[in-house]
Amino acid sequence: MNIPITRPIREIKEDTLETTIFTLQDFMTYTKGITYIIMGGILVFMPLFWKFLTDGEDD
Amino acid sequence: MDLDNQIPENKKFTVFNVVTGIILAGGLVLTVLRFTMGLGTVTNLDNTNPWGIWIGFDLLCGVALAAGGYVTSASCYIFGLKRFHLAVRPAILTAFLGYALVVLALHYDVGRPWRLPYPVFYSQGTSSLLFEVGLCVFLYLTVLLIEYSPAAMEWLGFKKLRNWVVKLTLLLTIFGVILSTLHQSSLGALFMIVPSKLHPLWYSSYLPVYFFISSMFAGMSMVIFEGSLAHRYLKYKMDETHLKESSGVAFGFAKAASLVMMGYFFIKIIGLSIGNNWHYLFTSWGLWFLLELIGFVLFPAILYAVGSREKNLVLVRLAAIWTVLGIMLNRLNISVVAFNWHLPSAQRYYPSFMEIATSVFIVTLGIVVYKFIVTRMPILHEHPDYKAH
Amino acid sequence: MLISRRKFLGSLGAAIGATTTGTLTKAYGAANKHFKGYPGSSGVLHDTTLCIGCRKCEQACNKVNDLPQPEKPFEDLGVLDKKRRTQADEFTVVNQFGTQEKVFVKKQCNHCLEPACASACFVKAFTKTPEGPVVYDASLCVGCRYCMVACPFDIPAYEYDKALAPRVTKCTMCAPRLEEGKLPGCVKACPREALIFGKRDTLLKIAKSRIQNFPDRYIDHVYGEHEMGGTSWLYLSGKPFETIGMREDLGTTSAPELTSGPLSAVPIIVGLWPVLLTGVYAISKRKDKIAKEEKEDALKAAELQANEDMNQKLEELREKITKEKTAAINFEVKKALEEVSKEAEAAKEKEAETQDIEESEEKGKQEE
């Protein structure tokens, strides 16, 4: 069986493997990791902001 | 009148004590078996059916039925419905114990329980919905502990610390609702990854919404149900506010639960329509599905409505028990009954006696701890030093 | 390189670093975040039409993975009478289908391009390596078995008999052997070339050319090309796949795609719930405040009204009193005046009388 040698869409450079995400799985892990940190930030920031927003108002 | 630490002189060998004693002793034996012989000896789990009732009942039902904590505290502190105030402490206590028992049950189920903190602190698998559940349950358990702590501090006499913690009430309540929304829905979303294993009538892209919405009326029903139990067995612990106003809580939650259940009923129908799963209704799975939806959602919703209109406490309590059973049916259907539905019955999972006994043991442990706390700390009454918050 | 990258993803802290330094932000493949998997990764093509069910692959797998010896030897083909699945000590099994024309199918981990087990794992114990294998790290595993629930092919098994340190087990595509430049154990052992190892892209072409060259021999489908987002193991068959124990209803949606919806709902809830809940709280608090104020206003108004009424009454009273007083004074004055005038009259009369008397006396005197 002869399988002709074909050329890939793009040349894969040496450092491509280290700087590129190849699977949706890795993409999800990576983006959700950052998003979880942002979520933590939101949960800390919002109460403080609410305090700032309503500071000085009488209860 | 100080209702704390008033423990009536009881005979040691009451029916309650003997039965719980036997169950707890049996539980200890099962614990030893589990941690010496492994899951294979104690459970009927196998490679094709990796999750049994320890997940389906202890985790899924446990978390859903502990939703009373966030529902009650949100009603009182966020929506400003002050009449639910007296129900907050019992609900927070049951939620805290519920979640603590869920985590305890997980220690039996997972292979290496000492690694349970791994997902939060060591290796975060952020692509997993189980990570989301784990993180939220961990955080919410902490929130519930802090929310519950004033009762313990009043009992122990830590005035300053107690007053400081009480100031955090609103913040903790909001955190509680956020965390509950997240993990209640994520528990449903756990099954989004298995469209090939879960029956189409139960598999839906709305699974997370279903789980979250049903957790609301699960929580309300548990508050009503516990209230009726407490009225029967712990009446001597209740102060006048409790005795007078607790039926108001029951009717309030009955009305709310009835409304939410109607909404839930219709979003389930919408799910059927979106998935075009009508034809499955005419199979035996369809009958089972309709039993769950009509018999254990629509029917108790109507019971609640009638009970609320006619101010019939008996009817409301009946509806509460019915709803709780319906929630259990739903969670077990998704995790056990309709899971792997395509397999021949020989390859299906049926819980072993020891699995059921372990679940009974854990529930009993919860009841004993609840009784211990309620008879000692200001849960069903206000502490005389801290009246009228 | 693989290890450094894994470590890199290992902590959430590093993830922040990654965004700031700009690494790991490009997605491979076409635009719109369509992922095509690692370029040049390896796989195995299993041509079931060539398999004779000799179980040599099972034996080799058992050997290279140091698994315990099974009860029945690998030469015993009677084992094939029963349909089997992978177990904790059997990473691969051969099953037999059909009665007249027997078809043998090898079953093991398919090494998905987007593995469900890795997507489900909450401690990242599973990794899809750039070389192709999906590998498992027991040092992270908690033993929750969600990977087994998630796997659409029912592959991962669990050491249920171990009480304290049970592992999840599955075929590794002999990742350690691949690193040494060796073939997977089963591929090496196969006497009929029913298993061939190579780059997945190449294997796919071989499979398709076989179908093209022998249309009577094969079903026109390469199982694994798209199933569950594609797998590194590919299958050719002469019988419909459903009849040789391979599900055709799995669809082509990969596991991470199935969960991406709920996963992206999570941050939105965290973003919006604080706003919504604090808003509801503020509204209910404001309502309480207004109700309280209204109550106070009503109270004040009532008080004011009461005051006015009182003042009016007082005024009336005062007027009445003044009137009464004046009346009384007038009366008294009148009475006094009357009295005075009476007295005066009386005095006059008296005077007149005396005058009369005097007059008469004077008259009498004068008469004298």
Side-chain angles (χ1 to χ4, degrees):
Chain A
M1 234 172 301
N2 280 329
I3 302 300
I5 295 167
T6 49
R7 290 183 304 127
I9 304 176
R10 212 171 294 117
E11 282 295 314
I12 304 296
K13 283 182 200 141
E14 269 294 299
D15 65 332
T16 313
L17 274 177
E18 297 216 4
T19 56
T20 311
I21 300 177
F22 289 93
T23 61
L24 179 60
Q25 163 56 22
D26 279 355
F27 178 78
M28 294 301 276
T29 311
Y30 173 72
T31 52
K32 290 299 165 284
I34 297 170
T35 316
Y36 271 111
I37 297 169
I38 297 173
M39 283 188 251
I42 293 172
L43 287 181
V44 173
F45 174 80
M46 285 306 276
L48 296 174
F49 181 70
W50 173 252
K51 218 166 175 215
F52 167 73
L53 189 66
T54 58
D55 199 23
E57 278 179 30
D58 48 334
D59 282 319
Chain B
M1 184 173 60
D2 188 2
L3 287 163
D4 286 350
N5 293 320
Q6 280 187 5
I7 300 146
E9 291 275 328
N10 262 345
K11 278 178 278 172
K12 273 183 186 148
F13 293 98
T14 58
V15 179
F16 177 82
N17 287 358
V18 171
V19 172
T20 50
I22 291 170
I23 294 174
L24 294 185
L28 281 182
V29 175
L30 287 169
T31 308
V32 172
L33 266 180
R34 154 66 185 90
F35 288 104
T36 52
M37 310 293 283
L39 283 174
T41 309
V42 182
T43 69
N44 275 352
L45 298 173
D46 58 35
N47 290 324
T48 315
N49 301 290
W51 281 358
I53 58 162
W54 287 355
I55 297 294
F57 179 78
D58 296 11
L59 174 65
L60 295 183
C61 296
V63 168
L65 297 175
Y70 89 85
V71 173
T72 315
S73 55
S75 309
C76 176
Y77 296 123
I78 297 178
F79 291 86
L81 304 168
K82 293 282 166 350
R83 69 165 155 167
F84 291 116
H85 186 262
L86 71 137
V88 170
R89 275 204 177 172
I92 291 285
L93 174 64
T94 3
F96 171 59
L97 289 178
Y99 277 88
L101 292 173
V102 164
V103 174
L104 177 69
L106 285 179
H107 281 75
Y108 287 76
D109 188 76
V110 305
R112 310 187 207 208
W114 57 91
R115 285 187 181 171
L116 277 172
Y118 271 27
V120 180
F121 296 107
Y122 186 61
S123 177
Q124 296 85 357
T126 49
S127 67
S128 172
L129 280 152
L130 197 60
F131 170 77
E132 210 283 316
V133 171
L135 183 63
C136 282
V137 168
F138 162 71
L139 290 174
Y140 189 45
L141 191 60
T142 315
V143 167
L144 279 171
L145 178 65
I146 304 172
E147 280 190 294
Y148 153 73
S149 65
M153 289 181 204
E154 286 171 16
W155 179 55
L156 294 167
F158 299 162
K159 271 194 183 175
K160 264 192 185 166
L161 195 59
R162 181 261 176 209
N163 290 337
W164 187 78
V165 173
V166 165
K167 276 186 197 152
L168 297 175
T169 302
L170 178 68
L171 187 71
L172 290 171
T173 306
I174 291 180
F175 272 20
V177 177
I178 295 169
L179 294 170
S180 294
T181 312
L182 293 180
H183 72 260
Q184 295 283 2
S185 57
S186 291
L187 278 176
L190 282 184
F191 294 90
M192 297 277 292
I193 205 167
V194 285
S196 57
K197 293 187 182 179
L198 183 59
H199 193 282
L201 282 173
W202 282 272
Y203 184 86
S204 162
S205 52
Y206 296 132
L207 265 175
V209 182
Y210 292 158
F211 267 59
F212 175 56
I213 301 294
S214 58
S215 80
M216 290 185 202
F217 57 80
M220 295 176 199
S221 300
M222 270 310 270
V223 171
I224 298 174
F225 176 57
E226 286 159 30
S228 70
L229 286 185
H231 253 265
R232 179 167 296 178
Y233 300 108
L234 294 160
K235 207 166 188 173
Y236 63 99
K237 279 281 149 192
M238 294 184 171
D239 58 15
E240 239 172 82
T241 335
H242 250 92
L243 291 172
K244 259 194 213 156
E245 293 173 19
S246 63
S247 61
V249 171
F251 290 129
F253 273 152
K255 200 196 275 178
S258 183
L259 186 68
V260 177
M261 285 166 90
M262 272 297 164
Y264 177 74
F265 175 78
F266 285 117
I267 59 170
K268 288 286 271 192
I269 302 279
I270 289 172
L272 267 182
S273 172
I274 291 283
N276 196 25
N277 291 323
W278 300 106
H279 61 285
Y280 287 108
L281 287 181
F282 306 105
T283 63
S284 50
W285 284 106
L287 286 180
W288 187 244
F289 177 81
L290 288 176
L291 176 77
E292 180 199 313
L293 190 59
I294 294 175
F296 286 89
V297 178
L298 189 61
F299 175 63
I302 293 168
L303 268 191
Y304 264 141
V306 174
S308 159
R309 275 171 61 95
E310 296 178 356
K311 297 274 170 282
N312 186 336
L313 202 56
V314 179
L315 213 55
V316 165
R317 284 174 177 171
L318 184 71
I321 296 172
W322 209 277
T323 309
V324 168
L325 290 176
I327 288 290
M328 290 182 186
L329 181 65
N330 172 256
R331 299 302 196 260
L332 286 172
N333 274 345
I334 286 167
S335 59
V336 174
V337 180
F339 186 80
N340 275 339
W341 65 289
H342 60 289
L343 293 180
S345 62
Q347 292 177 38
R348 297 295 309 276
Y349 158 86
Y350 301 94
S352 72
F353 168 73
M354 286 193 271
E355 273 178 277
I356 298 171
T358 307
S359 291
V360 171
F361 158 65
I362 287 172
V363 172
T364 311
L365 194 63
I367 295 171
V368 170
V369 177
Y370 180 87
K371 203 181 160 215
F372 176 88
I373 293 177
V374 160
T375 47
R376 282 164 181 79
M377 299 179 199
I379 303 291
L380 297 173
H381 55 266
E382 287 193 315
H383 193 282
D385 295 354
Y386 309 92
K387 282 250 163 155
H389 335 254
Chain C
M1 172 199 64
L2 162 72
I3 287 162
S4 74
R5 193 167 165 286
R6 242 157 74 202
K7 268 190 186 160
F8 186 60
L9 280 168
S11 74
L12 287 172
I16 296 185
T19 29
T20 48
T21 55
T23 45
L24 263 178
T25 46
K26 282 176 274 176
Y28 175 73
N32 224 356
K33 288 182 191 124
H34 175 76
F35 295 91
K36 294 175 131 184
Y38 289 101
S41 71
S42 305
V44 175
L45 174 63
H46 176 30
D47 189 335
T48 61
T49 63
L50 298 174
C51 182
I52 51 167
C54 64
R55 300 186 69 209
K56 286 272 193 308
C57 51
E58 284 188 43
Q59 190 172 21
C61 179
N62 179 282
K63 204 181 154 199
V64 300
N65 288 300
D66 292 320
L67 298 174
Q69 279 297 312
E71 272 176 47
K72 290 180 183 166
F74 289 103
E75 288 75 24
D76 183 357
L77 298 183
V79 175
L80 296 174
D81 293 340
K82 220 175 138 195
K83 197 187 166 197
R84 295 175 298 158
R85 61 152 288 157
T86 52
Q87 303 291 344
D89 51 1
E90 290 174 296
F91 297 174
T92 184
V93 289
V94 175
N95 278 317
Q96 167 187 299
F97 296 91
T99 39
Q100 306 235 292
E101 231 183 300
K102 283 178 178 164
V103 180
F104 302 96
V105 183
K106 182 179 177 295
K107 189 183 174 90
Q108 76 298 307
C109 174
N110 286 325
H111 300 274
C112 304
L113 300 183
E114 302 284 358
C117 52
S119 173
C121 184
F122 70 162
V123 285
K124 287 196 287 195
F126 288 94
T127 320
K128 176 74 178 175
T129 61
E131 292 77 18
V134 175
V135 293
Y136 164 78
D137 182 355
S139 73
L140 294 172
C141 182
V142 181
C144 71
R145 306 186 299 285
Y146 187 33
C147 50
M148 300 163 70
V149 169
C151 179
F153 303 107
D154 282 330
I155 294 302
Y158 188 73
E159 295 176 318
Y160 279 106
D161 53 334
K162 290 204 178 155
L164 290 175
R167 290 170 303 171
V168 170
T169 63
K170 71 170 198 67
C171 155
T172 61
M173 213 203 269
C174 286
R177 284 172 62 90
L178 293 185
E179 264 176 50
E180 294 169 25
K182 293 180 188 163
L183 282 175
C186 53
V187 175
K188 190 157 186 268
C190 185
R192 292 280 312 243
E193 290 199 338
L195 301 170
I196 41 175
F197 177 85
K199 303 282 180 215
R200 184 177 183 268
D201 295 343
T202 317
L203 294 175
L204 207 52
K205 278 176 207 141
I206 294 175
K208 284 179 176 171
S209 71
R210 279 188 193 178
I211 293 172
Q212 205 170 4
N213 294 340
F214 308 99
D216 295 338
R217 191 183 166 112
Y218 297 105
I219 295 276
D220 187 10
H221 181 71
V222 183
Y223 194 97
E225 185 184 5
H226 298 301
E227 271 75 13
M228 289 304 289
T231 58
S232 289
W233 278 63
L234 302 165
Y235 298 81
L236 282 174
S237 170
K239 293 265 169 354
F241 285 98
E242 195 68 58
T243 63
I244 59 166
M246 303 176 78
R247 295 185 64 174
E248 288 175 12
D249 58 347
L250 297 178
T252 57
T253 313
S254 69
E257 266 179 277
L258 287 169
T259 51
S260 67
L263 275 177
S264 45
V266 167
I268 285 300
I269 289 174
V270 174
L272 287 182
W273 252 224
V275 177
L276 189 77
L277 295 172
T278 347
V280 170
Y281 165 74
I283 291 169
S284 82
K285 208 180 121 186
R286 174 140 185 84
K287 266 191 176 166
D288 280 357
K289 202 181 161 191
I290 288 173
K292 207 178 151 195
E293 276 175 1
E294 275 174 357
K295 212 172 158 187
E296 271 170 13
D297 282 352
L299 231 104
K300 256 185 207 159
E303 217 173 287
L304 216 67
Q305 188 67 41
N307 270 346
E308 253 169 43
D309 286 354
M310 189 118 89
N311 280 346
Q312 211 176 331
K313 262 184 198 163
L314 266 177
E315 197 63 36
E316 274 167 21
L317 206 68
R318 202 172 290 142
E319 255 169 51
K320 207 174 156 192
I321 288 171
T322 337
K323 251 186 209 166
E324 269 172 17
K325 246 187 194 166
T326 339
I329 289 169
N330 285 349
F331 179 73
E332 288 297 319
V333 169
K334 213 176 162 187
K335 213 170 141 188
L337 280 175
E338 262 169 30
E339 255 170 49
V340 169
S341 59
K342 248 186 203 169
E343 263 170 42
E345 257 172 52
K348 253 185 194 169
E349 269 170 33
K350 220 180 179 179
E351 219 172 294
E353 259 174 46
T354 40
Q355 235 173 357
D356 282 350
I357 295 168
E358 274 175 19
E359 269 177 25
S360 58
E361 272 177 11
E362 264 181 44
K363 257 182 191 171
K365 252 184 189 176
Q366 273 175 356
E367 278 169 18
E368 269 175 65

